[in-house]
Amino acid sequence: MTKGLPRQKPIAGIKQVIVVASGKGGVGKSTTAVNLALGLTANDPSKSVGMLDADVYGPSIPKLMNLKGNPELTDNNLMIPLTNYGIPCMSMGFLVDDVAPIVWRGLMVMSAIEKLLRQVDWGSLDYLVVDMPPGTGDVQLSITQNIPIAGAVIVSTPQDIALMDARRGAEMFKKVNVPVLGLVQNMSVFQCPNCNHQTHIFGSDGARQLAETLGVKLLGDVPLHLNIRETSDRGKPVVVSSPDSPEAEAYRKVASAVVQRLKEVRP
């Protein structure tokens, strides 16, 4: 890290931080982050996993995890995460009204991120999965410079325009010395529920080719499936609501690949 950057300080009680990022919005990053967290616990129930929604302007975790309300405070004035499906979660969405726009400048956002990171009673966690905002801006830099990150997961569709931004995201993490665990190719294929014909709506294998170009692993493919969208909108992620489905299996495979990559990149 270059001179002048903040010194990284671990979050008390958290063993490894995994950030889930994308170069642009609308590629299914938050849905992937939620199902990754649930997949980690489904694969190994002995592991404790938490979720931080770092998308201050557009928090999605309250909806995806079916959580509402304001966090209570401990005697030490730390916020207590809201929990569902065994995953403690913290989000700006718990602190503001559902439809209230957050019109903040950079310094206010940085202050909010610091509070969400440090002023929360996370307890003891094996993994904290951080749902990053899209892009490569202030929030991404602030988080990567302030806490040790075990690795980054980049989510993209196979579409060329999404892959361009996914590459920027991966390159940003490399610049700040965060290991890129790999890419998740989301919405990789659509299978017609009537005739089972498969259509590659957003192109075929674009993320796989980008992973090869960047020299990183393709962590898995997740299909474009109605079940994923419906369960997400109901706040019942597919990994817990349809655990035997091929869609849930796809996320569990991604979670397994993430754990394997964490072992490989660990110093």
Side-chain angles (χ1 to χ4, degrees):
M1 306 295 280
T2 57
K3 188 177 179 182
L5 292 180
R7 186 170 181 177
Q8 289 184 329
K9 180 183 174 187
I11 304 172
I14 295 175
K15 293 180 182 177
Q16 292 183 292
V17 177
I18 304 165
V19 296
V20 180
S22 64
K24 69 189 302 102
V27 297
K29 168 186 54 63
S30 296
T31 302
T32 300
V34 163
N35 283 289
L36 168 61
L38 292 164
L40 289 167
T41 56
N43 289 343
D44 187 350
S46 72
K47 299 297 185 185
S48 52
V49 182
M51 279 214 72
L52 171 63
D53 187 351
D55 194 346
V56 172
Y57 294 115
S60 301
I61 299 307
K63 173 76 171 176
L64 289 167
M65 291 294 283
N66 196 25
L67 288 168
K68 284 185 180 178
N70 299 115
E72 296 182 359
L73 297 177
T74 68
D75 293 338
N76 297 325
N77 262 354
L78 296 177
M79 292 182 286
I80 300 173
L82 275 61
T83 300
N84 199 7
Y85 310 120
I87 308 286
C89 302
M90 183 51 62
S91 170
M92 183 56 65
F94 301 148
L95 308 176
V96 297
D97 291 337
D98 285 352
V99 295
I102 298 174
V103 188
W104 288 353
R105 292 187 184 275
L107 286 175
M108 293 177 72
V109 174
M110 296 307 100
S111 175
I113 290 295
E114 181 72 12
K115 286 183 172 65
L116 292 174
L117 286 172
R118 307 258 179 222
Q119 296 182 23
V120 175
D121 183 9
W122 287 110
S124 179
L125 295 177
D126 292 291
Y127 306 110
L128 178 67
V129 177
V130 181
D131 180 22
M132 299 283 261
T136 54
D138 287 347
V139 173
Q140 287 84 349
L141 286 173
S142 180
I143 289 176
T144 55
Q145 289 169 2
N146 277 285
I147 61 173
I149 307 291
V153 173
I154 310 293
V155 181
S156 181
T157 62
Q159 189 179 7
D160 287 350
I161 196 74
L163 291 165
M164 287 169 54
D165 292 326
R167 180 166 190 167
R168 291 188 185 101
E171 297 291 357
M172 184 209 74
F173 285 116
K174 287 183 177 181
K175 274 192 174 181
V176 293
N177 299 318
V178 171
V180 177
L181 301 177
L183 273 67
V184 175
Q185 184 164 251
N186 198 29
M187 309 183 202
S188 58
V189 65
F190 172 73
Q191 181 168 298
C192 175
N194 297 317
C195 68
N196 294 327
H197 177 73
Q198 291 192 342
T199 304
H200 294 88
I201 293 175
F202 296 108
S204 175
D205 280 342
R208 187 182 303 274
Q209 292 161 14
L210 177 58
E212 291 174 1
T213 301
L214 294 174
V216 301
K217 185 178 177 68
L218 182 72
L219 298 168
D221 291 277
V222 178
L224 177 63
H225 200 284
L226 185 63
N227 194 26
I228 296 174
R229 199 274 301 164
E230 288 181 338
T231 56
S232 298
D233 283 353
R234 289 200 302 267
K236 297 179 178 180
V238 70
V239 167
V240 289
S241 60
S242 303
D244 298 324
S245 66
E247 303 83 63
E249 176 64 18
Y251 284 119
R252 287 196 299 271
K253 284 182 177 178
V254 168
S256 294
V258 165
V259 171
Q260 181 59 39
R261 284 287 293 137
L262 285 171
K263 293 175 183 175
E264 293 170 2
V265 302
R266 208 168 185 177

